[in-house]
Amino acid sequence: MAPKLPIYMDNAATSRCDPRVVEAMLPYFTEKYGNSSSRNHKFGWEGEEGVETAREQAAALIGANAKEIIWTSGATEGNNLAIKGAAHMYAKAPEGQPNRGHIITAVHEHKAVLDPCKRLQREGFEVTFLEPKADGIITAAMVKAAMRPDTILVSIMWANNEIGTINEVPEIGKLCHEREVIFHTDATQWVGKMPTDVERDNIDLLSWSGHKIYGPKGVGALYVRRRKPRVRLEAIFDGGGHERGMRSGTLNVTGIVGFGKACELCKAEMDRDGERLLKLRRKLETELAKRIEVTQVNGHADKRLPNIANISFGFVEGESLLMGIKDIACSSGSACTSASLEPSYVLKSLGVGDELAHSSLRLSLGRWTTEEEVDYAIEKITKAVHHLRQMSPLFDLYKEGVDISKIEWQTH
Ligand SMILES: *Cc1c(COP(=O)(O)O)cnc(C)c1O
């Protein structure tokens, strides 16, 4: 059966809000609209009850205590609060000197981690940006080799948003705990899809976001460990002292109720969803590789999320490829900067060349992706790539056996 077009394969960018989440949120717009900080009337108590139920649901998803959940506006805020908050709190500055301390992260983290780290660098902190090998994975050994006596914070994402690769987070956490270094993980793509236990996995700070787990946009949570060690953060917002003083501001009650419901649904359904999506992702990757030569799946073969496929197609131009598959909503290996299209810094960090990075697609599946849609994508992408290659003189040379890498390109 032909699927309804366009089809959505960009779930790593954002996901559809589950109708069960919307239903849970609705009463909080029009009936239970109290401010959850209002202590002296029923409206306030109802709001508070919604928020505290959600806090339990969020905590249950990651094996935390509800008291360890801080509400945020999303993973960008959670990452900023965790990284800047911990760096400022644990800075080791000798008397009269500016902020000091060493931070470890990786070059292919999300910008919401890289940019706060770069700001701290400008303030005087030293930051090591680890570089992955071709498989895209950050190992505990890499972190260990970068550790220094003045290391105060390690921030390594759990799973990468462009290539889906899974870093050695539990092992990195263990290492950090042994050295009494605070460990933060941006788990936005991981939580809700894969089993998580902040105790077993040695996490101190963990950020995630509603809209990546079939919840609403503009709401997220930061897990802040309360014991062994008790992690303290310097707040970014001042005013009112909400959320244990770490995040002031009237709570987004409706959003938080939706976030909680989304967490509850993920906890109940992630095993089944994950198994189904892994089969579909594998079908997508193997069928495309079978039908199209000079195709490469980026990132480690197995240590990847079930729902993200990142595939490069040689001898096609990225923009033209996207034009050729217009009714498939997905992301490309190019990032729009102010003036030009830049190849993805994530793919570059794995050693993928600029050309191949531009002609990459990130296809990210989700709760409502069907097998019919996957079959459609396979057909459509195959057709588009073959069509573009028919017009490619380079592909002709390649077919004739010319070693393209030996050609001397004219530079301009
Ligand atoms: C989407 C995403 C973010 C940003 O989350 P927001 O809630 O949109 O701010 C951060 N990190 C990763 C890995 C993401 O995928």
Side-chain angles (χ1 to χ4, degrees), residues 155-206:
S155 178
I156 296 293
M157 73 200 319
W158 211 318
N160 186 278
N161 48 296
E162 283 190 36
I163 49 179
T165 46
I166 298 167
N167 294 321
E168 289 183 2
V169 159
E171 296 80 5
I172 295 169
K174 183 160 178 280
L175 174 73
C176 289
H177 277 181
E178 282 163 10
R179 311 244 174 152
E180 296 184 9
V181 170
I182 302 291
F183 179 47
H184 166 251
T185 186
D186 174 353
T188 311
Q189 296 289 344
W190 170 273
V191 164
K193 317 272 162 60
M194 303 292 274
T196 307
D197 184 328
V198 289
E199 291 304 327
R200 179 195 64 202
D201 302 331
N202 306 299
I203 314 292
D204 294 326
L205 296 162
L206 177 149

Side-chain angles (χ1 to χ4, degrees), residues 12-13 73-77 79 110 112 157 159 161 186 188-189 209 211-212:
S73 62
T76 301
E77 186 190 335
N79 290 344
H110 194 276
M157 73 200 319
N161 48 296
D186 174 353
T188 311
Q189 296 289 344
S209 180
H211 72 104
K212 305 285 177 83

Side-chain angles (χ1 to χ4, degrees), residues 318 333-334 341-344 347-348 351-360:
S334 306
L341 278 180
E342 286 291 320
S344 144
L347 294 176
K348 278 186 89 159
V352 177
D354 287 6
E355 291 297 321
L356 217 46
H358 277 304
S359 62
S360 302

